[in-house]
Amino acid sequence: MRRKQELRHILRETEVLRNNALGVLVKANRPTRHLTSRQRQIAGIGYHLGEIQMRMRGESRAVFQYGEDDAELSGPQGWQPPEQCRSRAELAQRGLLILALIDSVKKKLLQLDVLELRCRELMASIGKALEAFCHESGIIRQRMYPFGVFSRCRRTLRGFFGRAYFTFPDMEHIAALGSITGHVLKIADSPAM
């Protein structure tokens, strides 16, 4: 039971880290809202900003399957203390039931250990991917908006005059951002089991 509680805590930590990663992706991909469908195809971006936001609000991806098995750990049905056994055969049969119960508990503990290792691996990979994403998206943002607010204003004015918000060279940067985002999304969406 203690292992299950620890694992539930680790699963919650994994889900919080996943949501934080999706929040960073949303923030870094805000410029993609200015893309037209044609520009999305050119850049190879197969996601929308709203998609990532829906994933953040969605249910937990890590499924914990052991919540209903608490009754199994209390003992087999019809189990009685050995003093109430009438014969050696009945005692041997109950001994076998107890051994089967011990085996099933060991199996469940092994499954919990595997799930814990997978969660820790997932947390580490999300952390590393997010760190790399933040570094690369910072570089891309600096290239796309070299003058900060002034670059954004110039792009907005381009949009008012009927021209595209992004130029062709900007599309290369957007494609790189989309590629990195796709990799992080794949890691963040990988199931725990």
Side-chain angles (χ1 to χ4, degrees):
M1 294 301 183
R2 181 179 51 83
R3 292 284 296 138
K4 285 173 60 174
Q5 293 300 326
E6 290 172 2
L7 189 59
R8 284 186 180 124
H9 180 70
I10 291 170
L11 286 170
R12 278 189 226 109
E13 286 179 11
T14 305
E15 189 61 27
V16 166
L17 181 62
R18 178 184 170 272
N19 283 336
N20 288 343
L22 291 175
V24 169
L25 291 178
V26 166
K27 185 177 179 183
N29 279 285
R30 282 190 185 138
T32 62
R33 70 180 182 262
H34 298 292
L35 294 175
T36 63
S37 60
R38 174 89 172 119
Q39 288 175 329
R40 281 185 183 285
Q41 288 176 344
I42 291 171
I45 295 178
Y47 61 88
H48 291 280
L49 204 56
E51 244 180 83
I52 301 172
Q53 292 169 337
M54 283 187 349
R55 288 179 187 179
M56 281 178 60
R57 286 182 243 126
E59 292 184 18
S60 172
R61 299 280 299 167
V63 177
F64 188 71
Q65 303 174 351
Y66 302 99
E68 310 304 325
D69 296 336
D70 294 340
E72 273 187 40
L73 299 177
S74 61
Q77 291 181 344
W79 185 82
Q80 299 172 354
E83 303 89 49
Q84 297 178 1
C85 294
R86 295 188 188 1
S87 67
R88 285 182 169 233
E90 191 177 342
L91 183 62
Q93 183 182 10
R94 296 212 177 143
L96 290 175
L97 282 174
I98 291 172
L99 289 176
L101 177 67
I102 290 171
D103 285 344
S104 70
V105 168
K106 285 182 180 180
K107 180 182 173 186
K108 290 188 186 308
L109 285 175
L110 184 60
Q111 289 173 342
L112 291 174
D113 289 341
V114 169
L115 186 58
E116 179 183 358
L117 289 174
R118 175 65 180 138
C119 286
R120 293 197 185 279
E121 174 191 1
L122 194 58
M123 288 171 59
S125 61
I126 288 173
K128 292 289 185 185
L130 193 59
E131 184 180 325
F133 175 81
C134 289
H135 177 73
E136 288 297 320
S137 68
I139 292 171
I140 291 170
R141 183 176 298 273
Q142 183 62 34
R143 288 180 183 161
M144 286 174 43
Y145 302 111
F147 303 110
V149 175
F150 299 115
S151 295
R152 285 187 178 86
C153 290
R154 185 182 66 137
R155 290 180 191 282
T156 304
L157 288 174
R158 284 175 51 94
F160 283 138
F161 292 117
R163 297 177 68 197
Y165 186 83
F166 292 111
T167 62
F168 185 73
D170 293 332
M171 293 306 294
E172 293 175 9
H173 301 304
I174 293 289
L177 182 67
S179 173
I180 297 168
T181 301
H183 291 302
V184 177
L185 281 174
K186 184 185 261 186
I187 292 171
D189 283 344
S190 61
M193 278 295 270

